[in-house]
Amino acid sequence: MPVKIRLQRHGKKGKPYYWIVAADSRSKRDGRYLEKLGSYNPNTNPATVELNVDGAVQWLQNGAQPTDTARTLLSYKGALLKNHLAGGVKKGALTEEQAEAKFNAWLEEKTGKIGAKADNLAKAEAEAKAKALEAEKAVNEARIAAAAPVVEEEEAATEEEAPAAEEDAKAEAETSNEEE
């Protein structure tokens, strides 16, 4: 029975969520599987990958062939590296402790890179929000400045109209007094 390590799609339309499974290659994409090894969520940034590394290594050692995308995810989480190191231990090139030390060093470095990327994304988002706030403040100040002269002109116009109206009233009063 040829076994593949592949992705099984879940989630709703437009929001995919995948399970990483070991399945018979003849079974349907979302059909029966032998073992669930983890999950993959491409909707987050950076993408979330949860994987049972030891289970994946066990399937790889038993001859399971990962698909291209599954191979990428296994490499991302270090399952292929751990499988490679296990092969070195079997051949006698490494001891179990050396292999474990190399894998842990790689894992710490990878975790640091992922953390740095998440920090950079958060920093970029914060900067974008700050720039948007500054732009909004500038637009609001421009609106206030544009509205202020209009209000002042209206006040000036009403002030000019008021003396003119008083003069008109006096002129009318004088003409009415002369008529009497």
Side-chain angles (χ1 to χ4, degrees):
M1 175 171 71
V3 176
K4 291 265 190 192
I5 297 176
R6 62 186 184 195
L7 300 180
Q8 193 176 65
R9 191 175 199 271
H10 292 271
K12 61 183 184 177
K13 183 168 47 172
K15 298 283 185 183
Y17 183 84
Y18 299 96
W19 286 356
I20 302 168
V21 297
D24 183 358
S25 63
R26 296 169 290 189
S27 65
K28 297 178 182 178
R29 179 193 73 178
D30 298 337
R32 188 172 177 196
Y33 59 90
L34 301 171
E35 183 180 354
K36 179 181 174 186
L37 300 173
S39 61
Y40 167 57
N41 186 0
N43 299 318
T44 60
N45 192 6
T48 307
V49 179
E50 297 172 7
L51 181 69
N52 176 3
V53 176
D54 294 328
V57 169
Q58 186 66 37
W59 278 106
L60 290 170
Q61 288 176 346
N62 288 337
Q65 294 297 312
T67 60
D68 292 338
T69 307
R71 181 182 307 277
T72 303
L73 295 174
L74 293 175
S75 176
Y76 179 79
K77 292 305 277 187
L80 294 179
L81 175 65
K82 194 164 189 175
N83 184 39
H84 177 73
L85 293 173
V89 170
K90 283 183 184 177
K91 292 179 181 175
L94 296 170
T95 64
E96 188 69 36
E97 295 78 27
Q98 290 174 332
E100 193 66 31
K102 283 186 177 188
F103 181 72
N104 288 335
W106 178 87
L107 199 59
E108 288 178 18
E109 181 182 341
K110 183 72 170 183
T111 305
K113 287 181 182 178
I114 293 170
K117 182 177 180 181
D119 291 341
N120 288 341
L121 288 171
K123 183 188 274 187
E125 186 177 330
E127 288 176 3
K129 283 184 180 180
K131 286 181 182 178
L133 181 63
E134 290 298 323
E136 187 174 337
K137 284 181 180 179
V139 168
N140 287 340
E141 289 173 2
R143 284 183 187 159
I144 291 170
V150 172
V151 172
E152 290 174 3
E153 289 175 6
E154 289 175 2
E155 290 175 3
T158 56
E159 289 174 6
E160 291 174 3
E161 290 174 4
E166 289 175 12
E167 291 175 8
D168 290 342
K170 286 181 185 178
E172 286 178 20
E174 289 176 7
T175 56
S176 63
N177 287 340
E178 290 176 5
E179 290 176 0
E180 290 177 0

